[in-house]
Amino acid sequence: MEAVLTDYHVHLRPDEDGTPPERFFTAENADRYLAAAAGAGIAELGVSEHIHRFTEALTLWHHPFWEEQAHDDLDAYCEFVRRTELRLGIECDFVPGAEARTAELLGARDFDYVVGSVHFVGDVAVDHPGWDIWEGSGDPDEVWRRYFESLAACARSGLFDILAHPDLVKVWGRAHPLPERDPREFYEPAVEAIAESGIAVEVSTAGLRKPVGELYPARAFAEMCVEAGAAFALSSDAHRPSDVGFGYDRAVSWLRDLGVAEISTFERRRRRLEPLGG
Ligand SMILES: [Zn+2]
Ligand SMILES: [Zn+2]
């Protein structure tokens, strides 16, 4: 088998409000991403738009942020991606209580993979000014405990193939208080759920571009996943072509240091482990 690099968690457009899909869901834009991937030696490139950009998301959740963002048609997106060389994915939040509706929404489309995310804990988000979890109690033990419990539920739901940016709660780095306890205590329930569910753990270079300035997940989290026999997936979470494969030199040597020699690839929601390239 040939060694391979993947970039599966990729957005075709920025996160700003109101960007019309017609500007970004074009063959030319897909080609810009494909060219960037080819230049970075990435053989497997897929896109995973946020579920909350699509009106269908409102069958899962009625959060005001989603209501404001949900304009596009999910099937039009799927049809567009299928006309390109891109793998078809989606980034879908885990919405507690909406498991059956989420399964129905995802199962009705022929995705190559689904990236499962936790951005919100309850009604507030760990990475979202405006819906900021840190404006509440701000107790880091409480925030981290609740975040990793949600992540565990996300993994355990069985709805998703890849667990996105697994310790996103650290995104702001030292701008918010960090727990004093050994973070492994917080990781534990999530790693247990990862091991039980078999979901692939995303190594995301997006964290290198954020205030925290390090990969998702933290090394200790990844070590626990390795010990638990988890599979890994590799992505940049790019929102523009120039970020495709961002920081991969670092991510690949980091994975090799951990003893990870294989990476997950997906087709029609079937996973294969292939030798890690780069
Ligand atoms: Zn995300
Ligand atoms: Zn994303």
Side-chain angles (χ1 to χ4, degrees):
M1 261 194 291
E2 225 178 302
V4 68
L5 284 177
T6 63
D7 202 346
Y8 282 143
H9 184 161
V10 167
H11 301 266
L12 285 166
R13 54 183 169 175
D15 274 340
E16 294 135 29
D17 303 9
T19 33
E22 305 79 52
R23 263 186 64 206
F24 294 96
F25 295 177
T26 66
E28 294 71 27
N29 197 35
D31 286 345
R32 279 194 281 274
Y33 280 79
L34 287 159
I42 293 163
E44 285 273 323
L45 181 68
V47 288
S48 55
E49 292 304 309
H50 282 291
I51 190 86
H52 67 242
R53 305 296 290 269
F54 302 102
T55 54
E56 289 83 349
L58 300 178
T59 63
L60 308 184
W61 204 25
H62 279 277
H63 191 283
F65 175 68
W66 282 32
E67 299 213 338
E68 176 195 302
Q69 294 276 318
H71 299 295
D72 304 339
D73 183 83
L74 182 56
D75 294 307
Y77 160 69
C78 294
E79 280 161 31
F80 160 70
V81 176
R82 283 296 178 215
R83 291 196 299 274
T84 71
E85 298 293 306
L86 299 162
R87 291 260 184 240
L88 173 59
I90 187 143
E91 178 174 12
C92 184
D93 287 65
F94 172 65
V95 181
E99 289 85 347
R101 299 196 300 282
T102 306
E104 196 181 322
L105 185 156
L106 297 173
R109 279 108 191 155
D110 66 341
F111 294 113
D112 287 312
Y113 56 86
V114 178
V115 180
S117 292
V118 174
H119 303 104
F120 284 86
V121 177
D123 282 341
V124 286
V126 295
D127 65 337
H128 215 292
W131 298 98
D132 189 359
I133 196 166
W134 294 102
E135 279 178 15
S137 86
D139 171 9
D141 282 353
E142 184 65 8
V143 169
W144 279 52
R145 184 184 62 75
R146 290 185 61 212
Y147 169 79
F148 284 105
E149 276 174 5
S150 301
L151 191 73
C154 176
R156 220 185 288 275
S157 71
L159 291 165
F160 313 116
D161 306 300
I162 299 171
L163 189 61
H165 37 60
D167 58 351
L168 182 67
V169 68
K170 73 181 178 189
V171 58
W172 304 114
R174 300 197 168 277
H176 288 296
L178 295 166
E180 277 168 26
R181 270 194 269 161
D182 185 335
R184 274 169 270 238
E185 285 179 39
F186 299 100
Y187 303 156
E188 205 140 40
V191 175
E192 208 177 283
I194 287 164
E196 279 172 27
S197 64
I199 194 169
V201 176
E202 180 180 80
V203 173
S204 170
T205 59
L208 299 171
R209 308 192 297 272
K210 300 289 160 111
V212 68
E214 59 175 58
L215 295 168
Y216 303 116
R219 180 155 184 115
F221 188 105
E223 283 170 353
M224 289 166 74
C225 292
V226 169
E227 229 166 89
F232 288 86
L234 176 62
S235 289
S236 67
D237 208 345
H239 287 65
R240 52 184 186 174
S242 57
D243 282 336
V244 169
F246 177 89
Y248 268 30
D249 287 353
R250 258 171 93 173
V252 168
S253 59
W254 185 89
L255 279 163
R256 290 201 196 288
D257 273 1
L258 283 163
V260 176
E262 289 181 317
I263 203 78
S264 308
T265 64
F266 294 90
E267 192 175 352
R268 309 275 164 156
R269 305 206 64 182
R270 281 232 279 278
R271 178 170 81 201
R272 291 201 330 184
L273 287 173
E274 301 198 36
L276 172 65

